[in-house]
Amino acid sequence: MSKQLKGILLAAGGASLWGGSGAAAQYLFEQTSITTSWLVAVRLLLAGIVLTTVSLFKTPQQVRRIVSNRRHLVSLISFALLGMLNSQLTYFLAVKYSNAPTATVIQYLQPVIIIIWLAIAQRQWPRRIDCISIIIALIGTFLLVTGGHLGTLALTPAAISWGLWCAVAAALYTLLPRPLLANFDALAVCGLAMLLSGLGMLPEIIIQRLPSLNLLGWILVAYIVIFGTMFSYTMFLQSMRYISPAVTGILSAFEPLVATFLAVTLLGTKLTGAAIIGSLLILLTTVLQSIPSNYYQRILFFTNHHKPKTK
């Protein structure tokens, strides 16, 4: 198996496992009494313990450097609370108040939020392709939220609010760990962030009663923790060793595709034509942002130098 194919399979597999965790969470929220906070607490704490333990064996020096340096520790805590915990909690709340496909797709508005934030922070206009991405994302969001009908909402206000905040949280999740990831292994950074955010949610596990679940319910909880968190993250991280970030960004679209397929086929979730078109438009912005800028420059160069000459 070539390195390219191995990277593609790892990235697509990791994104697919993420999508499956969204559908599993939707089933648990619809069919059981499990709470969002308990599920997020268990997911982060268990995954954080395992990934941090792995990091202590692989890169113990990096773990010690992160927690012993005040500046690095402050950055880690900020990432854990505002990025990791924020994104996990708001995503599952968006799933609870809408469904897995809708929550996952709205989360993919994060590139647009990052574009706007960087434009404001750097005080410069976004690139042409960024402006096009924003317009496409706004049209897609309109179709998803309204169903294509002015004056009506296809989603509840709670679903819209948590979905949009989930996109903001996903943007923070992307931006906040940059200083740490520039100096430390990603597995150590994310493992520690999961552990800290899980410890922050520990009272939810202690105070709440253990949910009354049947065998299928506990299997889905285990899937979310093991496959939807630990394996999916590890696979996606490993894929970056073999393929470019642009390719992994495009393959991340498997997450909403798998979430939609499972929700529609197994959970009976209904999606309107407008919602499907809106979802595809939002995903298109992710694809556009994943393509390197020099690719667009080559297209413009080719177009400008091959225009028919007029007299």
Side-chain angles (χ1 to χ4, degrees):
M1 181 185 297
S2 66
K3 290 185 178 181
Q4 179 80 5
L5 179 58
K6 186 176 182 179
I8 290 173
L9 292 176
L10 285 170
S16 298
L17 291 177
W18 273 328
S21 70
Q26 179 180 332
Y27 175 86
L28 289 172
F29 294 145
E30 291 178 349
Q31 303 297 328
T32 73
S33 60
I34 197 169
T35 65
T36 308
S37 57
W38 185 89
L39 182 59
V40 171
V42 169
R43 179 187 196 185
L44 289 174
L45 185 60
L46 294 181
I49 291 173
V50 173
L51 293 179
T52 301
T53 302
V54 173
S55 298
L56 285 171
F57 279 100
K58 290 183 63 178
T59 56
Q61 301 88 353
Q62 292 205 9
V63 174
R64 285 195 293 267
R65 285 174 55 202
I66 293 174
V67 298
S68 61
N69 183 285
R70 182 178 179 180
R71 182 169 58 87
H72 295 327
L73 186 58
V74 170
S75 296
L76 179 67
I77 294 173
S78 299
F79 171 49
L81 299 180
L82 299 178
M84 183 69 72
L85 178 58
N86 195 10
S87 62
Q88 297 286 332
L89 189 58
T90 53
Y91 172 70
F92 276 137
L93 284 168
V95 171
K96 180 178 181 179
Y97 288 105
S98 57
N99 51 62
T102 301
T104 307
V105 167
I106 294 179
Q107 181 183 238
Y108 275 72
L109 287 171
Q110 62 151 315
V112 174
I113 296 173
I114 293 174
I115 290 170
I116 296 173
W117 166 252
L118 291 178
I120 295 173
Q122 298 173 357
R123 297 182 181 180
Q124 63 181 21
W125 284 100
R127 301 171 303 165
R128 184 183 304 176
I129 189 63
D130 294 336
C131 295
I132 294 173
S133 297
I134 292 173
I135 294 171
I136 293 174
L138 290 175
I139 296 173
T141 304
F142 169 78
L143 293 174
L144 190 63
V145 170
T146 66
H149 302 288
L150 286 170
T152 62
L153 290 176
L155 301 175
T156 64
I160 297 171
S161 300
W162 285 119
L164 293 176
W165 186 245
C166 174
V168 174
L172 291 172
Y173 178 90
T174 302
L175 294 171
L176 287 175
R178 282 185 173 183
L180 290 171
L181 294 175
N183 298 287
F184 301 103
D185 182 69
L187 190 64
V189 172
C190 288
L192 286 169
M194 285 183 182
L195 180 60
L196 285 177
S197 54
L199 289 173
M201 294 287 289
L202 188 59
E204 294 292 334
I205 300 176
I206 297 173
I207 295 173
Q208 293 190 36
R209 291 183 178 180
L210 199 66
S212 178
L213 303 175
N214 57 20
L215 179 60
L216 176 59
W218 285 114
I219 289 174
L220 291 178
V221 171
Y223 171 85
I224 290 172
V225 174
I226 299 171
F227 295 97
T229 306
M230 291 185 293
F231 279 16
S232 60
Y233 168 76
T234 303
M235 290 172 66
F236 208 76
L237 182 65
Q238 289 295 323
S239 72
M240 296 182 183
R241 297 174 57 186
Y242 306 107
I243 54 180
S244 67
V247 177
T248 57
I250 294 172
L251 291 173
S252 66
F254 271 87
E255 180 185 1
L257 294 177
V258 169
T260 301
F261 176 78
L262 293 176
V264 171
T265 57
L266 299 181
L267 304 180
T269 302
K270 304 294 183 182
L271 295 176
T272 64
I276 294 174
I277 295 173
S279 299
L280 292 175
L281 288 175
I282 292 174
L283 293 179
L284 177 59
T285 63
T286 301
V287 175
L288 292 176
Q289 289 300 305
S290 299
I291 299 174
S293 58
N294 59 357
Y295 177 79
Y296 296 112
Q297 293 172 358
R298 288 198 299 268
I299 292 177
L300 291 173
F301 178 84
F302 180 85
T303 303
N304 292 333
H305 285 74
H306 290 79
K307 287 182 179 179
K309 295 181 179 179
T310 58
K311 294 183 179 179

